[in-house]
Protein backbone atom coordinates (compact mmCIF):
# COMPACT_ATOMS: atom_id res chain seq x y z
CA UNK A 1 0.00 0.00 0.00
CA UNK A 2 2.78 2.43 0.95
CA UNK A 3 4.64 1.62 -2.25
CA UNK A 4 1.53 2.33 -4.28
CA UNK A 5 1.02 5.67 -2.53
CA UNK A 6 4.64 6.63 -3.20
CA UNK A 7 4.17 5.71 -6.85
CA UNK A 8 1.04 7.83 -7.10
CA UNK A 9 2.76 10.76 -5.39
CA UNK A 10 5.71 10.52 -7.77
CA UNK A 11 3.37 10.39 -10.76
CA UNK A 12 1.58 13.52 -9.51
CA UNK A 13 4.86 15.40 -9.12
CA UNK A 14 6.01 14.38 -12.59
CA UNK A 15 2.68 15.41 -14.09
CA UNK A 16 2.88 18.81 -12.40
CA UNK A 17 6.41 19.27 -13.71
CA UNK A 18 5.29 18.38 -17.23
CA UNK A 19 2.40 20.89 -17.00
CA UNK A 20 4.81 23.63 -15.96
CA UNK A 21 7.20 22.79 -18.77
CA UNK A 22 4.34 22.91 -21.26
CA UNK A 23 3.74 26.63 -20.62
CA UNK A 24 4.59 28.55 -23.81
CA UNK A 25 7.70 30.69 -23.72
CA UNK A 26 7.35 34.42 -24.37
CA UNK A 27 10.00 37.04 -25.12
CA UNK A 28 9.13 40.70 -24.51
CA UNK A 29 11.17 43.30 -26.39
CA UNK A 30 11.64 46.98 -25.50
CA UNK A 31 9.38 49.28 -27.49
CA UNK A 32 11.00 51.03 -30.43
CA UNK A 33 11.01 54.73 -29.51
CA UNK A 34 13.00 57.95 -29.98
CA UNK A 35 15.91 58.58 -27.56
CA UNK A 36 13.87 60.82 -25.25
CA UNK A 37 11.28 58.05 -24.79
CA UNK A 38 13.69 55.09 -24.62
CA UNK A 39 13.36 54.72 -20.85
CA UNK A 40 9.55 54.88 -21.04
CA UNK A 41 9.49 52.32 -23.86
CA UNK A 42 11.61 49.93 -21.82
CA UNK A 43 9.47 50.47 -18.74
CA UNK A 44 6.28 49.67 -20.67
CA UNK A 45 7.76 46.44 -22.01
CA UNK A 46 8.76 45.42 -18.47
CA UNK A 47 5.15 46.07 -17.41
CA UNK A 48 3.95 43.70 -20.16
CA UNK A 49 6.42 41.05 -19.00
CA UNK A 50 5.13 41.29 -15.42
CA UNK A 51 1.50 41.01 -16.54
CA UNK A 52 2.08 38.02 -18.83
CA UNK A 53 0.52 35.20 -16.81
CA UNK A 54 0.43 31.67 -18.22
CA UNK A 55 3.79 32.08 -19.98
CA UNK A 56 7.39 31.37 -19.17
CA UNK A 57 8.56 34.95 -19.71
CA UNK A 58 11.90 36.27 -20.93
CA UNK A 59 11.92 40.01 -20.18
CA UNK A 60 13.75 42.75 -22.09
CA UNK A 61 16.92 42.51 -20.00
CA UNK A 62 17.18 38.73 -20.47
CA UNK A 63 16.48 39.03 -24.21
CA UNK A 64 19.23 41.63 -24.63
CA UNK A 65 21.67 39.53 -22.62
CA UNK A 66 21.02 36.46 -24.77
CA UNK A 67 21.25 38.22 -28.15
CA UNK A 68 23.84 40.91 -27.46
CA UNK A 69 23.44 44.67 -27.87
CA UNK A 70 23.66 44.85 -31.68
CA UNK A 71 21.20 42.06 -32.53
CA UNK A 72 18.90 43.22 -29.74
CA UNK A 73 18.82 46.77 -31.12
CA UNK A 74 17.90 45.34 -34.54
CA UNK A 75 15.11 43.32 -32.93
CA UNK A 76 13.75 46.41 -31.16
CA UNK A 77 13.65 48.28 -34.48
CA UNK A 78 11.19 45.67 -35.81
CA UNK A 79 8.60 47.51 -33.67
CA UNK A 80 5.20 45.90 -34.37
CA UNK A 81 6.29 44.05 -37.53
CA UNK A 82 5.49 40.42 -36.62
CA UNK A 83 7.54 38.66 -39.39
CA UNK A 84 10.56 40.87 -38.58
CA UNK A 85 10.33 40.02 -34.87
CA UNK A 86 10.18 36.29 -35.66
CA UNK A 87 13.16 36.46 -38.02
CA UNK A 88 15.47 38.55 -35.85
CA UNK A 89 14.38 36.81 -32.65
CA UNK A 90 14.85 33.27 -33.97
CA UNK A 91 17.93 32.63 -31.80
CA UNK A 92 15.86 33.17 -28.66
CA UNK A 93 14.14 29.81 -29.17
CA UNK A 94 10.83 31.04 -27.75
CA UNK A 95 7.25 30.30 -28.83
CA UNK A 96 5.90 33.85 -28.79
CA UNK A 97 7.33 37.35 -28.95
CA UNK A 98 5.93 40.80 -28.13
CA UNK A 99 7.29 44.02 -29.57
CA UNK A 100 6.01 47.44 -30.53
CA UNK A 101 6.61 51.16 -30.76
CA UNK A 102 6.07 54.32 -28.73
CA UNK A 103 6.00 57.82 -30.23
CA UNK A 104 4.78 61.22 -29.14
CA UNK A 105 2.50 63.12 -31.49
CA UNK A 106 1.55 66.59 -30.30
CA UNK A 107 -0.13 66.22 -26.92
CA UNK A 108 -0.51 62.44 -27.03
CA UNK A 109 1.48 59.21 -26.98
CA UNK A 110 0.82 56.54 -29.58
CA UNK A 111 1.54 52.95 -28.56
CA UNK A 112 1.40 50.04 -31.04
CA UNK A 113 1.99 46.47 -29.80
CA UNK A 114 2.04 43.10 -31.53
CA UNK A 115 1.96 39.54 -30.18
CA UNK A 116 3.62 37.27 -32.74
CA UNK A 117 4.30 33.58 -33.26
CA UNK A 118 8.09 33.49 -32.95
CA UNK A 119 8.39 30.54 -35.36
CA UNK A 120 6.07 31.54 -38.19
CA UNK A 121 5.86 35.32 -37.85
CA UNK A 122 2.07 35.12 -37.70
CA UNK A 123 0.35 38.03 -35.98
CA UNK A 124 -1.58 36.55 -33.02
CA UNK A 125 -2.82 39.80 -31.50
CA UNK A 126 -2.22 43.52 -31.54
CA UNK A 127 -3.32 46.77 -29.94
CA UNK A 128 -2.98 50.49 -30.61
CA UNK A 129 -3.50 53.24 -28.08
CA UNK A 130 -3.58 57.06 -28.19
CA UNK A 131 -3.01 58.39 -24.67
CA UNK A 132 -2.98 62.05 -23.66
CA UNK A 133 0.42 63.03 -22.28
CA UNK A 134 -1.12 65.01 -19.42
CA UNK A 135 -3.39 62.13 -18.36
CA UNK A 136 -0.58 60.01 -16.83
CA UNK A 137 -2.50 56.91 -17.95
CA UNK A 138 0.10 55.42 -20.28
CA UNK A 139 1.44 52.75 -17.91
CA UNK A 140 -2.03 51.76 -16.69
CA UNK A 141 -3.54 51.60 -20.19
CA UNK A 142 -0.78 49.29 -21.42
CA UNK A 143 -1.06 47.10 -18.30
CA UNK A 144 -4.83 46.84 -18.72
CA UNK A 145 -4.49 45.95 -22.41
CA UNK A 146 -1.85 43.24 -21.89
CA UNK A 147 -4.19 40.30 -21.09
CA UNK A 148 -6.18 40.92 -24.28
CA UNK A 149 -3.00 41.27 -26.31
CA UNK A 150 -1.69 37.92 -25.10
CA UNK A 151 -5.02 36.12 -25.55
CA UNK A 152 -4.95 37.00 -29.25
CA UNK A 153 -7.86 37.73 -31.51
CA UNK A 154 -9.19 41.09 -32.61
CA UNK A 155 -9.26 44.00 -30.22
CA UNK A 156 -12.69 45.04 -29.02
CA UNK A 157 -14.30 47.97 -30.82
CA UNK A 158 -17.06 50.52 -30.36
CA UNK A 159 -18.74 53.21 -32.45
CA UNK A 160 -17.88 56.90 -32.30
CA UNK A 161 -20.47 59.27 -33.78
CA UNK A 162 -19.77 62.99 -34.20
CA UNK A 163 -22.68 65.35 -34.79
CA UNK A 164 -22.82 69.16 -35.03
CA UNK A 165 -25.82 71.51 -35.16
CA UNK A 166 -24.38 72.94 -38.38
CA UNK A 167 -23.56 69.91 -40.59
CA UNK A 168 -20.44 69.62 -42.76
CA UNK A 169 -17.80 70.24 -40.09
CA UNK A 170 -14.48 68.52 -40.79
CA UNK A 171 -13.65 65.83 -38.22
CA UNK A 172 -10.09 64.88 -37.29
CA UNK A 173 -9.84 61.60 -35.38
CA UNK A 174 -6.52 60.74 -33.71
CA UNK A 175 -4.79 63.35 -35.92
CA UNK A 176 -6.31 61.99 -39.16
CA UNK A 177 -9.09 63.67 -41.15
CA UNK A 178 -11.93 61.12 -41.42
CA UNK A 179 -14.81 63.06 -42.97
CA UNK A 180 -17.54 65.59 -42.23
CA UNK A 181 -20.40 65.67 -39.76
CA UNK A 182 -22.61 63.83 -39.21
CA UNK A 183 -20.21 60.91 -39.22
CA UNK A 184 -19.85 57.54 -37.46
CA UNK A 185 -16.74 55.37 -37.29
CA UNK A 186 -15.94 51.96 -35.81
CA UNK A 187 -12.91 52.49 -33.56
CA UNK A 188 -10.91 50.47 -31.08
CA UNK A 189 -12.00 50.74 -27.48
CA UNK A 190 -10.31 53.41 -25.42
CA UNK A 191 -9.67 57.14 -25.63
CA UNK A 192 -9.65 58.93 -28.98
CA UNK A 193 -8.72 62.52 -29.82
CA UNK A 194 -11.45 64.36 -31.73
CA UNK A 195 -11.24 67.81 -33.32
CA UNK A 196 -13.99 69.52 -35.30
CA UNK A 197 -13.48 72.51 -37.64
CA UNK A 198 -16.09 74.41 -39.65
CA UNK A 199 -15.46 77.59 -41.70
CA UNK A 200 -17.19 80.57 -40.13
CA UNK A 201 -16.98 79.09 -36.65
CA UNK A 202 -14.32 79.39 -33.95
CA UNK A 203 -11.81 76.54 -34.14
CA UNK A 204 -12.42 74.27 -31.16
CA UNK A 205 -9.64 72.63 -29.17
CA UNK A 206 -9.38 68.83 -29.57
CA UNK A 207 -11.07 66.73 -26.89
CA UNK A 208 -10.57 63.16 -25.73
CA UNK A 209 -13.59 60.85 -26.01
CA UNK A 210 -13.73 57.46 -24.27
CA UNK A 211 -15.32 54.71 -26.41
CA UNK A 212 -16.31 51.54 -24.50
CA UNK A 213 -16.09 48.06 -26.00
CA UNK A 214 -19.37 47.17 -27.68
CA UNK A 215 -20.75 50.66 -27.08
CA UNK A 216 -21.64 53.76 -29.07
CA UNK A 217 -20.58 57.26 -28.08
CA UNK A 218 -22.22 60.32 -29.60
CA UNK A 219 -20.04 63.40 -29.35
CA UNK A 220 -21.76 66.76 -29.97
CA UNK A 221 -19.13 69.51 -29.89
CA UNK A 222 -20.42 73.04 -29.38
CA UNK A 223 -19.49 75.40 -32.21
CA UNK A 224 -19.51 79.21 -31.93
CA UNK A 225 -20.05 81.36 -35.01
CA UNK A 226 -17.57 84.14 -35.83
CA UNK A 227 -18.35 86.85 -34.86
CA UNK A 228 -20.34 85.71 -31.82
CA UNK A 229 -22.96 88.50 -32.22
CA UNK A 230 -24.29 86.89 -35.44
CA UNK A 231 -26.49 84.57 -33.37
CA UNK A 232 -27.13 83.96 -29.68
CA UNK A 233 -25.27 81.13 -28.04
CA UNK A 234 -27.31 77.99 -27.34
CA UNK A 235 -27.90 77.05 -23.76
CA UNK A 236 -25.33 74.63 -22.38
CA UNK A 237 -27.92 71.86 -22.02
CA UNK A 238 -29.30 72.09 -25.57
CA UNK A 239 -27.98 69.13 -27.51
CA UNK A 240 -24.31 69.42 -26.67
CA UNK A 241 -21.86 67.16 -24.91
CA UNK A 242 -21.19 63.45 -25.12
CA UNK A 243 -23.81 60.72 -24.72
CA UNK A 244 -22.98 57.04 -24.26
CA UNK A 245 -25.31 54.36 -25.54
CA UNK A 246 -24.45 50.69 -25.16
CA UNK A 247 -25.05 48.53 -28.21
CA UNK A 248 -26.75 45.22 -27.39
Amino acid sequence: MHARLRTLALATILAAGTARAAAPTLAVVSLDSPPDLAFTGRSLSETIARKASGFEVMGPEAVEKKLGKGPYAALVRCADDAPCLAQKGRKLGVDRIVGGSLVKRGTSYRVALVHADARTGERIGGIEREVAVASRRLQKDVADATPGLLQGGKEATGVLRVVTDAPGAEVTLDDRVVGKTPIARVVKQGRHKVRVVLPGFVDAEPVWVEVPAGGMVEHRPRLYRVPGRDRPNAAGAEGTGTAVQLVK
Side-chain angles (χ1 to χ4, degrees):
M1 178 64 71
H2 292 298
R4 180 176 296 178
L5 289 174
R6 284 197 298 271
T7 301
L8 288 173
L10 180 59
T12 301
I13 293 170
L14 291 174
T18 301
R20 285 194 296 270
T25 51
L26 172 73
V28 182
V29 182
S30 293
L31 304 190
D32 185 36
S33 53
D36 60 320
L37 293 177
F39 176 81
T40 303
R42 181 105 176 195
S43 177
L44 291 176
S45 64
E46 290 169 349
T47 296
I48 295 170
R50 288 194 299 270
K51 295 283 288 185
S53 60
F55 292 88
E56 185 180 331
V57 181
M58 181 184 294
E61 184 176 350
V63 173
E64 182 175 13
K65 184 176 181 180
K66 185 164 185 176
L67 291 181
K69 290 188 177 296
Y72 180 71
L75 180 63
V76 170
R77 286 194 295 270
C78 288
D80 59 339
D81 184 336
C84 178
L85 289 168
Q87 180 186 4
K88 296 189 181 300
R90 198 174 305 279
K91 291 183 179 180
L92 295 172
V94 295
D95 301 310
R96 309 284 183 80
I97 188 166
V98 169
S101 63
L102 170 68
V103 295
K104 184 179 178 183
R105 297 195 306 194
T107 59
S108 65
Y109 293 116
R110 180 182 181 276
V111 182
L113 301 172
V114 67
H115 175 200
D117 187 309
R119 294 183 171 85
T120 66
E122 178 187 358
R123 184 185 178 94
I124 297 172
I127 63 170
E128 293 182 16
R129 287 287 187 275
E130 290 272 352
V131 182
V133 172
S135 70
R136 299 183 180 179
R137 290 181 44 165
L138 184 60
Q139 201 87 16
K140 183 179 185 303
D141 279 10
V142 169
D144 290 346
T146 296
L149 171 70
L150 298 179
Q151 288 170 10
K154 293 183 178 180
E155 189 173 11
T157 60
V159 176
L160 173 61
R161 189 166 183 261
V162 183
V163 180
T164 51
D165 291 337
E170 183 180 80
V171 178
T172 301
L173 176 62
D174 296 331
D175 297 320
R176 295 182 179 87
V177 176
V178 294
K180 297 184 178 182
T181 58
I183 188 173
R185 286 286 184 273
V186 175
V187 297
K188 295 174 181 177
Q189 69 171 350
R191 289 162 61 85
H192 295 272
K193 185 166 66 174
V194 182
R195 186 167 186 261
V196 176
V197 176
L198 183 62
F201 290 79
V202 177
D203 289 351
E205 291 296 319
V207 298
W208 289 86
V209 180
E210 185 84 29
V211 180
M216 182 174 71
V217 171
E218 186 173 275
H219 174 55
R220 287 181 172 268
R222 193 174 180 184
L223 299 178
Y224 296 91
R225 191 179 295 276
V226 180
R229 65 177 178 272
D230 285 359
R231 64 180 177 86
N233 291 331
E238 293 182 8
T240 62
T242 298
V244 178
Q245 175 186 346
L246 292 183
V247 177
K248 297 182 179 179

